């Protein structure tokens, strides 16, 4: 696995760190949008090795974290039905709803299964014609194409016992929402490389122009992340704001056209609630009406299920970069990966979980021992 | 057809002559304690285990002269699938308990086995498992001396569950336990990590992926004996099974009230394990091993212990990955390849693959 070593090379990394340190003459705040990048940054300690002037703000790009509580409760209600096989990515099983999580439903006898590909859920539906099979279709533009493919196949094969519970979210509207927030401190963005591998880079040019901030399409290995930061800092220091692609080995301008066609066939843009942030206009995808027969929300009559967020949890401020995870009063006490109040503490990609796992020594002692 | 070299039956070409009549699958009667149970023991388990002694309610095992303490351990095996690259539930159950006993510094002297078998399980499957257990026990020189079989209704089990327990004798003067980890000690892992977990995951329903990785399942008591011979004062031995090396280190740090620091780039991770973990979103340090151990030894003895491990077929890749420290008691930290330091936490439960 050559790429794992090549893009994790300590000597090359040191050169990039040095160059960033030499280039940066004043403080800059850069938001990495994707949870995968947050994970890489914290796990490798990239934020510790950057000069003090460069602050990384962890963005809202963990799909598990931003799935709204009401949608989790809908999933729990459907998964608890005896006629249902509920399929989900593994990360979602531990995300708390109002009262329990999917693991809890499973322990009470619910048939909850982890799948690694959404298409496995279609296979399960074909193997169990007497059961209703539901797939929890969450995530950003990255996971959307295979999720769209499931209902496309279900329609093509006449599968009537398959449906999906859709809670898709889109990156560009989230960047726009953060950049236009009066409290935002972000000077530039690292765009999510794998989202761009699907959607291309063209949606980001208008954002650069509208907000006058650099956006650099960035990958996930340590050197990828550092190169994204280096290019963003270089632009900021030069007073420039351009769209750059620092992940050209994966991302092309036009993206994956076949995937985009599948997406526009199956999904349409809608307003979407983001957990901890609130509603962002035109920031999600839902099934087009011609796929109503495969829409789990309609099939199981859960449209009315909704739930308020925890009053203690400040995930919204964390997701917007207004506070660091350990600055939340509940961090490490009421809220740990074992007892998460908000989804940012659940997924390995969540900013709070990443801090809890990797940075506890750096935060005050009473917090560090709270778990 | 018995294999004349080992005395073990060949279950691949096995046909049932007289006993085990009427069925090629386990039925409830095989667990009923009557004639069918007796036939299963006489014609399947005893030949597979190479057991020939008198049948009784309990086995008797002589205790070697000069040993005043016994080590005693038990473990249950519910692995799915039953057969995976590099092993099966049978040899795993033998190796796992031998290793648990050996991690106290003991020399294992006898094993028990309990089978819980789901009605409908093919006799040939049970035969292959029993044969693997017998072969593993013979190779290790640790006899299976007593056993039990129960059958549960179809749907109440998952094929075959195996429990093994083992006893061993601890040489006088040896005192190996987690609380003895002391600041300054060297931390050694015996070889490449993550192979068992990745091999099993590669065969799970819905997750089949091509990999050349095979389970590292192996009995480590000979290596432990070699370590104890050169360093009777070895402080801690653990086999990093579920939860991987991370869980082992975290448990030791907590138990001993010491800090542990390791260097990420010193941890031996096979390329194929790193690749599988990368696309599944898992950490190799959290993945189960079944033929590795972590040794914590006084710094002055580290070279001798390493040499002893390198001389053992299961310890060729042994290497020092870190140190026990007085700082941050109860907490494990890793120096990343880039030179930063991060906290390493106990995995919460089953590892959840990340989705993107």
């Amino acid at each position: 696995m050559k790429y794992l070593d090549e893009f994790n090379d300590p000597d090359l990394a040191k050169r990039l760190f040095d160059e960033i340190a030499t280039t940066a003459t004043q403080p800059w705040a850069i938001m990495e949008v994707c949870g995968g990048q947050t994970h890489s940054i914290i796990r490798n300690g990239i934020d510790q090795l950057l000069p003090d002037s460069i602050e990384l703000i962890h963005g809202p790009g963990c799909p598990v974290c931003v799935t709204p509580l009401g949608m989790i409760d809908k999933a729990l209600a459907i998964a608890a039905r005896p006629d249902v096989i509920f399929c989900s990515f593994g990360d979602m099983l531990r995300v708390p709803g109002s009262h329990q999580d999917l693991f809890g439903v499973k322990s009470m006898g619910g048939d909850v299964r982890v799948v690694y590909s959404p298409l496995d859920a279609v296979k399960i539906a074909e193997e169990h014609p007497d059961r209703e099979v539901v797939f929890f279709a969450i995530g950003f533009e990255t996971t959307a194409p295979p999720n769209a493919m499931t209902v496309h196949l279900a329609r093509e094969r006449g599968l009537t016992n398959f449906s999906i519970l859709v809670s898709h979210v889109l990156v560009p509207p989230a960047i726009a929402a953060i950049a236009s927030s009066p409290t935002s401190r972000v000077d530039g963005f690292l765009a999510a490389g794998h989202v761009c591998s699907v959607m291309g880079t063209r949606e980001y040019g208008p954002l650069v122009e509208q907000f006058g901030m650099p956006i650099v399409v960035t990958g996930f290995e340590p050197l990828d992340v550092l190169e994204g930061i280096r290019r963003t800092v270089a632009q900021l220091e030069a007073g420039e704001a351009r769209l750059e692609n620092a992940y050209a080995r994966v991302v092309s301008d036009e993206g994956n056209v076949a995937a985009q066609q599948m997406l526009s066939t199956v999904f349409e843009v809608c307003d979407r609630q983001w957990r901890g942030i609130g509603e962002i206009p035109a920031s999600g995808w839902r099934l087009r009406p011609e796929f109503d027969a495969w829409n789990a929300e309609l099939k199981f009559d859960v449209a009315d299920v909704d739930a308020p967020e925890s009053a203690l949890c400040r995930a919204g401020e964390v997701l917007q970069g207004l506070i660091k995870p350990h600055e939340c009063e509940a961090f490490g006490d009421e809220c740990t990966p074992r007892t998460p109040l908000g989804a940012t503490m659940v997924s390995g990609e969540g900013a709070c979980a990443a801090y809890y796992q990797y940075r506890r020594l750096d935060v005050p002692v009473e917090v560090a021992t709270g778990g | 057809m018995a294999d004349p070299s080992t005395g073990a039956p060949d279950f691949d070409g096995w046909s049932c002559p007289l006993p085990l009549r009427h069925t090629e699958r386990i039925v409830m009667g095989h667990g009923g304690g009557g004639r069918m149970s007796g036939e299963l023991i006489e014609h399947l388990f005893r030949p597979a285990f190479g057991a020939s002694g008198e049948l009784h309610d309990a086995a008797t095992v002589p205790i070697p002269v000069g040993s005043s303490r016994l080590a005693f351990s038990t473990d249950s095996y519910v692995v799915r699938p039953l057969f995976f690259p590099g092993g099966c539930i049978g040899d795993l159950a033998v190796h796992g308990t031998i290793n648990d006993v050996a991690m106290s510094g003991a020399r294992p002297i006898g094993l028990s086995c309990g089978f819980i078998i789901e009605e409908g399980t093919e006799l040939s499957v049970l035969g292959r498992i029993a044969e693997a257990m017998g072969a593993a026990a013979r190779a290790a020189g640790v006899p299976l001396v007593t056993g039990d079989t129960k059958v549960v209704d179809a749907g109440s089990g998952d094929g075959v569950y195996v429990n093994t327990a083992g006893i061993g004798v601890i040489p006088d003067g040896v005192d190996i336990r987690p609380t003895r980890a002391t600041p300054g000690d060297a931390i050694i892992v015996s070889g490449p990590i993550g192979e068992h977990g990745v091999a099993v995951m590669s065969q799970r329903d819905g997750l089949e992926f091509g990999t050349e990785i095979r389970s590292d399942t192996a009995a480590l008591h000979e290596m432990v004996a070699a370590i104890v011979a050169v360093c009777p004062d070895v402080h801690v031995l653990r086999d990093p099974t579920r939860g991987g090396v991370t869980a082992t280190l975290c448990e030791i740090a907590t138990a001993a009230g010491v800090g542990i620091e390791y260097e990420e780039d010193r941890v031996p991770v096979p390329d194929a394990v790193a690749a599988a973990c990368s696309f599944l979103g898992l950490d190799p340090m959290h993945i189960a091993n079944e033929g590795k151990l972590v040794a914590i030894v006084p710094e002055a003895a580290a070279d001798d212990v390493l040499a002893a491990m390198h001389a053992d077929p299961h310890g060729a890749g042994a290497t020092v990955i870190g140190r026990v420290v007085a700082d941050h008691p109860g907490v494990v930290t890793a120096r990343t390849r880039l030179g930063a330091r991060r906290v390493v936490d106990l995995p919460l439960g089953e590892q959840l693959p990340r989705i993107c």
Side-chain angles (χ1 to χ4, degrees), chain A residues 1 3-5 8-10 13 17 36 39 42-46 48-49 63-64 89-91 94 103 116 120 138 143 222 337-338 348-349 356-361, chain B residues 201 205-208 262 264-265 271-272 274-276 278-280 283-285 328 331 333 336-346 348 350 352-356:
Chain A
M1 281 298 104
Y3 76 93
L4 288 178
D5 292 331
N8 199 2
D9 182 291
F17 278 119
H39 187 84
I42 307 289
R43 190 180 191 290
N44 292 288
I46 289 172
Q48 299 172 46
L49 300 170
V64 168
F89 293 127
D91 260 14
R94 205 152 40 82
F103 273 127
Y116 297 89
D120 290 343
I138 64 133
T143 49
R338 187 184 288 273
E349 293 184 7
Y356 188 87
Q357 282 178 348
Y358 301 136
R359 294 290 300 275
R360 271 176 298 153
L361 288 187
Chain B
M201 266 188 280
D205 284 350
L207 185 63
E208 296 92 349
Y262 70 87
E264 275 191 332
D265 59 2
D271 284 350
S278 176
F279 79 74
L280 292 172
D283 186 336
M285 287 288 286
H328 52 79
V331 175
T333 65
T336 73
R337 287 193 63 179
L338 303 188
R341 192 175 62 125
R342 66 179 171 87
V343 174
V344 177
D345 206 8
L346 202 62
L348 187 64
E350 192 159 351
L352 302 174
R354 288 184 295 120
I355 64 170
C356 67

Side-chain angles (χ1 to χ4, degrees), chain B residues 209-303:
Chain B
F209 55 89
T211 176
E212 70 269 30
I213 291 287
R214 297 164 64 79
S215 170
D216 58 347
T217 179
L220 301 176
H221 58 306
E222 302 288 358
M223 180 158 61
V224 170
I227 293 171
V228 170
V230 296
C231 177
D233 189 32
V234 54
H235 288 167
V236 188
L237 294 173
R238 290 294 292 272
D239 58 336
T241 54
R242 284 173 303 169
V245 177
T246 294
T248 294
L249 296 181
C250 288
E251 285 164 14
I252 292 168
T254 304
V258 295
I260 283 179
E261 292 181 359
Y262 70 87
E263 314 277 321
E264 275 191 332
D265 59 2
R266 287 200 185 181
V267 177
V269 181
D271 284 350
V273 169
C277 286
S278 176
F279 79 74
L280 292 172
L282 304 176
D283 186 336
M285 287 288 286
H286 293 179
I287 306 284
N289 309 276
E290 291 291 347
K292 298 293 176 304
L293 62 79
V294 172
I296 297 185
V297 302
E299 170 67 35
D303 286 345

Side-chain angles (χ1 to χ4, degrees), chain A residues 100-366:
Chain A
Q100 61 174 347
D101 57 21
L102 284 167
F103 273 127
V105 171
K106 188 166 186 279
S107 71
M108 303 283 283
D111 193 343
V112 178
R113 302 186 188 182
V114 172
V115 293
Y116 297 89
S117 160
L119 299 183
D120 290 343
V122 177
K123 201 169 127 197
I124 292 170
E126 288 174 316
E127 290 165 357
H128 297 86
D130 55 326
R131 307 278 300 278
E132 284 291 337
V133 175
V134 182
F135 178 71
F136 200 178
I138 64 133
F140 285 90
E141 293 93 326
T142 338
T143 49
N147 292 354
M149 181 62 96
T150 61
V151 287
H152 172 78
L153 285 179
R155 184 166 73 169
E156 205 171 76
R157 297 175 187 176
L159 273 180
T160 56
N161 66 324
F162 179 79
S163 58
I164 63 177
L165 180 63
V166 181
S167 186
H168 272 299
V169 280
L170 304 173
V171 167
I175 290 184
I178 290 161
S180 57
S181 162
T183 50
S184 169
R185 301 164 44 239
V186 178
D187 299 310
F189 289 93
L190 307 183
H194 290 159
V195 165
C196 295
S197 72
V198 174
M199 300 305 291
T201 62
R202 290 177 183 144
E203 298 171 284
Y204 296 86
L207 293 173
V208 168
E209 282 180 26
Q210 186 182 349
F211 299 106
M213 292 183 198
I215 298 181
V216 177
V217 177
T218 302
F220 300 84
E221 299 301 327
L223 291 190
D224 289 322
V225 174
L226 281 171
E227 175 63 8
I229 295 169
R230 185 192 70 80
R231 292 200 195 190
T232 309
V233 171
Q235 282 197 47
L236 289 167
E237 288 286 339
E240 295 172 353
R242 284 179 288 109
L243 172 64
E244 273 191 80
N245 183 356
Y247 198 36
R249 75 176 193 277
V250 171
V251 174
S252 65
D253 288 351
E254 66 275 13
N256 182 336
V257 176
Q260 291 165 21
Q261 281 166 352
M262 174 62 65
L263 289 167
S264 59
T265 304
V266 171
F267 293 130
E268 62 185 14
V269 171
C270 63
D271 299 341
R272 179 68 74 198
Q273 286 282 339
W274 292 54
R275 189 170 193 171
I277 292 180
E279 184 168 291
I280 302 178
S283 68
W285 274 322
R286 66 181 172 210
L287 281 172
R288 288 185 176 279
E290 49 267 44
F291 288 93
D292 277 356
W294 294 274
N295 186 335
E297 261 185 286
L298 301 176
K299 199 170 199 174
F300 297 99
D301 195 25
V302 288
D304 292 342
V305 175
D306 204 1
E309 307 273 345
S310 157
L312 269 180
C313 175
R314 297 176 69 186
E317 291 160 85
V318 172
L319 289 172
Q320 293 176 77
L322 301 180
I323 61 166
K324 293 286 181 205
H326 63 270
E327 289 163 5
C328 170
E329 293 76 7
F331 179 87
D333 289 323
E334 292 92 342
C335 187
T336 69
R338 187 184 288 273
T339 55
L341 289 181
T344 43
M345 188 56 103
V346 173
S347 165
E349 293 184 7
C352 296
Y355 260 69
Y356 188 87
Q357 282 178 348
Y358 301 136
R359 294 290 300 275
R360 271 176 298 153
L361 288 187
D362 304 334
V363 302
V365 171
E366 65 272 16

